[in-house]
Structures are given as structure tokens and as C-alpha cells.
Amino acid sequence: MQLGDARLGKFGDNLAAFGRTLRRAGVRVDPARIALATDAALTVGLERREDFSAALEAVLVSREQDRQVFRELFDAFFRNPNMAHKLLAQLLPSAEGKAEPSKRRPRVREALSPQQAFGKQAQPKPQDDKVDFDAAMTASDLQRLQHADFNALGATEFRLVERLARDIRLPLPTFASRRSRPGHRGQALHWRGVLQSAVRSGGEPIDLPRLQRVRQPLPLLVLVDVSGSMERYARLLLAFLHAATSRQALGGSARLQRHVFAFGTHLTDLGPAFAQADTDAMLVQASAAIDDFAGGTRLGDALCTLRALHSRKLVGRRTLVLLISDGLDTGEPQALEHELDWLRHRTGRLLWLNPLLRFEGYAPLAQGASVLNRYAHGTLAVHNLSKLEDLAASVAGVLRR
């Protein structure tokens, strides 16, 4: 045992409390990581705050989207400038950080907010007995979440909004396919049905069933930006699209041709993940498949890969393309323009879903956004639940134009 082993003093308690705070903020932390973080802190020492922070970050952070959350929580939790000496003396109290809420991320504010101890519920006052509460959530809370920006939600609110997004329907327009089935309308007779009817009526063809063409939803191509600025929008929109385009959501009879790709620095096929029936299982498999999450955006290179490897998945001029991105592309605008021109001439409509449209006065001044704005048939803001509900009407409007 090392002299003054921090695991036997208050440092161990503070580090465990810090781990619980990270879990409240949505960072994946378990007891094994806390034990590893303790060993890492003892290895690098506690003399330098920067070394201590880097050691904990290397052990406790496994996702890029959690890195800034960890750093803000670390600064709030270990605020004392004389932390090294107090940690060595094992006397550092647990700090509760009082930084300005407006300067912190929602996940950090929620994690640092005080919580009631389990089993110690506040006793209602006599006058509170007269108030009736909704069992799930008040109407004002639901109304607020309908118009709340996905990027401004706390961890608990984000999980709730993600569940609500799965209930939003997306009725896609249909077209008459080449397949046919018996019906009362149609130009061609269903001769097999005519003969079967004649047998039942003594040889007289009384009933003349016809063949009518089966209507199917438009083929759908989804391209989702998974760069750092699209972190939360990508996850929530993937959950929404998976639930809205499932066989149950479409009535079970129609089979949708749906191809989903994620792009950051390169293209990732999410077809195997979207084949999962459960949305949670789809998100787990998609997270494992995407290895450039929270990186840069190179849409031109991704479309080049789509043209080279997956062009057969495009169904001519009927395919509807949903491009989900903020347009902050870091590639060459000439390459992006060439690939968008190819995509537009081989699909039906291109709808650009841009979260930045939530800002008044937004203009696509960035090079990538300017190119996207020229080639898209329509644009729509997708930053809250209300806009997702408007998506079906926007798709119909783009198709009419």
C-alpha cells in the first residue's frame, strides 16, 4: 500500500461522487472506470491540476460528445486552486460549482443541480392537497418540450424528447408500382379470378375482377451528418426516422425501400442497423458502426463513395433524398457541387433538413451551405418536435413543386 493511499481517505469519496455526477450528465461511468481512474490519479500524481484532469479524462471519457461535458464538470467540481495540496492531505471537500448557468451546457447544469435523497420526499403542505397534478407531465411542460431546441435539453429531457419523437408519424407519398393485385378497378381483367368466379356460378362469368397496381411509398435515401455540431440532432433524427418508416408505422402492408447513410469524414452504411426492429437496438448498432462521430464534415467525399459503391440503391427519379446537415462542410466546394449535381439528376427530390434555420436571419454563407442551398429542392428546420411534425407536409410540398 502506498503512503497516504488516496483510496482510503476523502479523495476516494470525492472521486466516487464525481463519477456519480458524470453519470447524471449522461457520461458512461461504472465502478470499474472509477477504480481505474483512482489508479490513474495515483500514477500521475496530484501535484499538477492539468495532469490530474488529463488522467481522469483519458479513463472516464469514451465518447467525443462527452469530452466538453467532462471538462466543465471537472472545473466545477474541483474548483479549489490549492487542490493538489488538499488532495494530498485528503481533506478536499466536495465542491458544488456555482458557475453561471447560462455559460454551462444543459447536461452540466442538470448534473450539478441538487437532488433530493432517495426516500426523503418533501411532505406536502396542507394547501398543496387541493392541487391536482397530471400523472405524467403537465401540459405546460409538454408544450415547452414541443418547441425546445434539441441542443438545449438536459440529459433527462433529451431522453424524454427522443421517446416522444418516435411517436411522430411520417406518411410518405405513394406511387403506382409495377406489381398488381386483384381489385375492383383496373384496365386488365384478372383472368384467374374470372374463371374461379365462373366455376362458382355454373360456368357463367358474372363477376369480372380486375388487376389494379399496388401503391408503394416513395423510395427514401437518408444522409445524416454525424459531425460534432450535429451531435444531438443526428441521434434524435435517426431514432425518429427508424420509428416513422417501420412497417408498423406504414400500416404493415407496404414495404419501403429505405437506405440510410451517416457521413462525417467518410460514408457509413447504416442499412444493417436500420434492419433492427427495435429502435434502441438500432441506435446501439449504429453507434458501433460510426467511427467518425463528432469529427469533421466532408459531404463531397461521402457522396463520391455513394456514387462509386451504392449507386444501384437509387431508384431513378422516384427517390426522395433527406439530407440532414448544418452545411458546415470542410471539403472542396467544387467537389461537393459536382457530386450534388450527380445526385440531383438521379433522384426525384432533395430536401435539406438544416437545424441552423432555427436562427432568425440565417443565411447559407458558408461555402458548403451555399452549394447545398443551390441544389436542394427545399429546406426545413428540424430542431424541435414541432418541426418534425411539419416534416410530412414539407415533403408533400416539395414533391408538388
Side-chain angles (χ1 to χ4, degrees):
M1 182 181 68
Q2 300 182 21
L3 180 64
D5 195 340
R7 286 171 289 189
L8 300 180
K10 293 185 179 181
F11 170 67
D13 296 335
N14 284 318
L15 190 57
F18 181 57
R20 289 193 295 269
T21 305
L22 290 174
R23 291 179 61 180
R24 289 180 59 191
V27 182
R28 299 173 181 174
V29 177
D30 53 21
R33 287 181 180 267
I34 295 297
L36 189 59
T38 304
D39 294 336
L42 293 175
T43 301
V44 302
L46 305 176
E47 291 79 10
R48 288 176 53 84
R49 177 187 178 92
E50 294 78 7
D51 295 341
F52 176 60
S53 173
L56 293 187
E57 181 177 341
V59 173
L60 298 177
V61 177
S62 58
R63 299 183 301 175
E64 183 65 29
Q65 61 265 35
D66 296 334
R67 195 170 304 279
Q68 293 300 327
V69 174
F70 169 86
R71 293 173 181 175
E72 291 186 23
L73 282 176
F74 182 88
D75 292 338
F77 202 89
F78 300 105
R79 294 182 63 193
N80 199 318
N82 298 320
M83 178 194 62
H85 301 289
K86 292 189 177 183
L87 283 176
L88 288 173
Q90 302 177 10
L91 295 176
L92 179 68
S94 297
E96 294 185 358
K98 300 290 184 180
E100 293 295 331
S102 59
K103 297 182 180 180
R104 288 180 177 164
R105 297 170 182 265
R107 293 166 60 185
V108 177
R109 293 200 303 267
E110 183 176 345
L112 293 177
S113 62
Q115 281 187 324
Q116 287 184 332
F118 179 76
K120 296 182 179 179
Q121 303 295 334
Q123 296 296 328
K125 298 180 181 179
Q127 60 270 24
D128 294 339
D129 296 336
K130 301 179 182 180
V131 183
D132 294 329
F133 292 97
D134 180 49
M137 180 175 288
T138 62
S140 59
D141 289 335
L142 288 175
Q143 182 68 18
R144 180 179 61 84
L145 291 180
Q146 284 287 330
H147 300 279
D149 188 354
F150 298 149
N151 207 32
L153 297 174
T156 303
E157 292 177 330
F158 183 82
R159 288 191 292 268
L160 176 59
V161 168
E162 182 185 307
R163 294 291 175 180
L164 294 176
R166 301 182 189 187
D167 297 330
I168 299 177
R169 298 190 59 189
L170 181 61
L172 293 173
T174 59
F175 69 98
S177 66
R178 295 180 180 179
R179 299 176 57 188
S180 60
R181 61 180 178 84
H184 298 288
R185 298 179 180 179
Q187 297 180 353
L189 289 174
H190 182 214
W191 288 107
R192 181 179 177 181
V194 171
L195 295 177
Q196 290 176 347
S197 175
V199 170
R200 290 192 296 267
S201 60
E204 294 292 335
I206 299 176
D207 188 17
L208 298 178
R210 297 180 176 274
L211 290 175
Q212 62 184 25
R213 300 178 68 178
V214 177
R215 299 198 66 84
Q216 291 183 345
L218 287 177
L220 189 63
L221 172 63
V222 181
L223 300 170
V224 183
D225 187 352
V226 293
S227 61
S229 57
M230 291 290 296
E231 168 191 335
R232 289 195 154 192
Y233 303 103
R235 175 182 173 87
L236 200 144
L237 287 170
L238 284 175
F240 158 69
L241 289 171
H242 182 269
T245 58
S246 63
R247 292 182 64 88
Q248 292 78 8
L250 296 175
S253 58
R255 183 177 181 180
L256 173 66
Q257 298 186 49
R258 175 187 60 187
H259 304 288
V260 184
F261 296 89
F263 67 91
T265 56
H266 59 269
L267 191 71
T268 303
D269 187 3
L270 297 183
F274 264 68
Q276 297 281 347
D278 182 68
T279 302
D280 291 324
M282 179 277 298
L283 291 174
V284 172
Q285 187 170 345
S287 299
I290 300 172
D291 57 0
D292 58 342
F293 190 79
T297 304
R298 299 183 66 89
L299 178 57
D301 295 346
L303 291 178
C304 181
T305 305
L306 178 69
R307 173 168 55 88
L309 302 180
H310 306 283
S311 59
R312 294 176 63 89
K313 295 183 178 180
L314 302 181
V315 191
R317 301 288 293 175
R318 289 196 298 266
T319 302
L320 172 64
V321 182
L322 298 182
L323 179 59
I324 305 171
S325 175
D326 53 11
L328 303 180
D329 191 80
T330 58
E332 293 295 332
Q334 294 81 7
L336 177 59
E337 186 168 2
H338 173 74
E339 299 300 337
L340 284 175
D341 181 73
W342 167 84
L343 181 65
R344 177 162 175 164
H345 282 85
R346 284 162 180 79
T347 56
R349 289 292 186 271
L350 173 60
L351 181 59
W352 180 20
L353 308 183
N354 184 5
L356 293 183
L357 289 175
R358 67 186 185 275
F359 298 114
E360 293 186 7
Y362 166 79
L365 301 180
Q367 291 183 338
S370 177
V371 175
L372 268 173
N373 188 59
R374 290 200 307 270
Y375 281 90
H377 293 94
T379 58
L380 177 67
V382 284
H383 60 283
N384 57 32
L385 291 176
S386 177
K387 291 299 182 181
L388 287 185
E389 294 174 349
D390 297 339
L391 181 57
S394 299
V395 169
V398 168
L399 292 176
R400 284 195 299 268
R401 291 196 297 270

